[in-house]
Amino acid sequence: MKIWHQSLTSIEQVPQYRDAVIAHIQKVARPDVEVVLHGMSSETYPTDYPGHFITYSYLQNLHREQFIRNALIAESAGYDCMFIGTIPDVGLLEARSLVDIPVIGYGQASMHIASMLGDKIGIVNFLEPLQDQLRYNAGRYGLAQKLGPIVQTKVGFYDILDGFNNPEPVIDSFIESAKIAIEQGADVIIPGEGPMNVFLATHGISRIDDVPIVDSFAAGLKMCESLTDLKEKSGVTMTRKGYFNAKPPEEAVKKLRAFYGQESNIHEGLDFGLSVK
């Protein structure tokens, strides 16, 4: 099985995070699964981490095209599944409507797994403006009533990178914020961004007292494995009914992507990416 992992970061520019992701994949993925890491184009952001360049609706929508384009590339290149490895699930609905391979979102997978582990989901993240989007997405996934408090940590992305060498301050900050969420009713916690999730998993943080901490990255990969298996062994695939899920005519997709200057990118870069087994 071959999975296209798509990050919202330019992952090759943040080696601490990249290496932690590789180690985590090697720990949680099945032996027969190859995960190929892909980041955003190196020229997407003026800094190593997207930060506020993804916390506005319009700016994030501009980035959506890279996810959609790469879903088309992944299917064309023979990948079995695509994993959108960022909690906002950028381009998830659009990508699913265009390709026949499973497309899994970090946010949706982690919320559904969390809903089976507890009754009230808390999210601990460090990009506060995203909480509006996360609540909107939870409603779209039918989980609005299950999503409870969203609490921000006092640490950010670069603190987490430093934390791979000095983990205690980041762990303490996460636990402090998680306990606030727990006091507000959460009985299962989702780490809000991929870097925080992978950091916590690296350091074995899976529980605070009686409350589980969801390994969202692993949840997404396992959902990729499961839906790919279901497709191959049982024939279960995506619905094609309704406005959001119907697959548009291929000719219309090609014509309009060409009109908007996108079609020329579809078959480029089929072999790039960092393979992890």
Side-chain angles (χ1 to χ4, degrees), residues 63-83:
H63 300 316
R64 180 179 302 172
E65 174 54 35
Q66 291 196 48
F67 287 80
I68 297 167
R69 178 197 66 196
N70 287 344
L72 292 165
I73 292 174
E75 183 174 58
S76 177
Y79 283 77
D80 298 294
C81 185
M82 181 180 188
F83 176 33

Side-chain angles (χ1 to χ4, degrees), residues 149-208:
I150 300 177
V151 178
Q152 277 66 53
T153 64
K154 296 177 183 177
V155 297
F157 175 72
Y158 292 104
D159 299 307
I160 291 170
L161 293 187
D162 292 339
F164 283 105
N165 296 318
N166 181 27
E168 285 77 13
V170 178
I171 293 173
D172 291 345
S173 179
F174 174 82
I175 291 175
E176 178 183 354
S177 299
K179 285 186 174 181
I180 293 173
I182 293 167
E183 289 172 359
Q184 295 176 5
D187 61 4
V188 55
I189 300 292
I190 294 173
E193 290 90 11
M196 176 67 83
N197 179 126
V198 173
F199 169 85
L200 294 171
T202 298
H203 292 93
I205 308 300
S206 61
R207 204 168 191 87
I208 297 176

Side-chain angles (χ1 to χ4, degrees), residues 8 49 51-57 60 86-90 111 123 125-137 147 150 152 192-194:
L8 191 54
Y49 186 67
H52 67 270
F53 295 97
I54 64 170
T55 57
Y56 296 88
S57 176
Q60 193 184 113
T86 180
I87 197 170
D89 292 340
V90 181
M111 287 186 193
I123 296 177
N125 68 337
F126 55 78
L127 290 176
E128 184 173 4
L130 289 184
Q131 66 175 303
D132 293 340
Q133 183 180 21
L134 299 182
R135 290 199 182 279
Y136 173 82
N137 286 354
L147 180 57
I150 300 177
Q152 277 66 53
E193 290 90 11

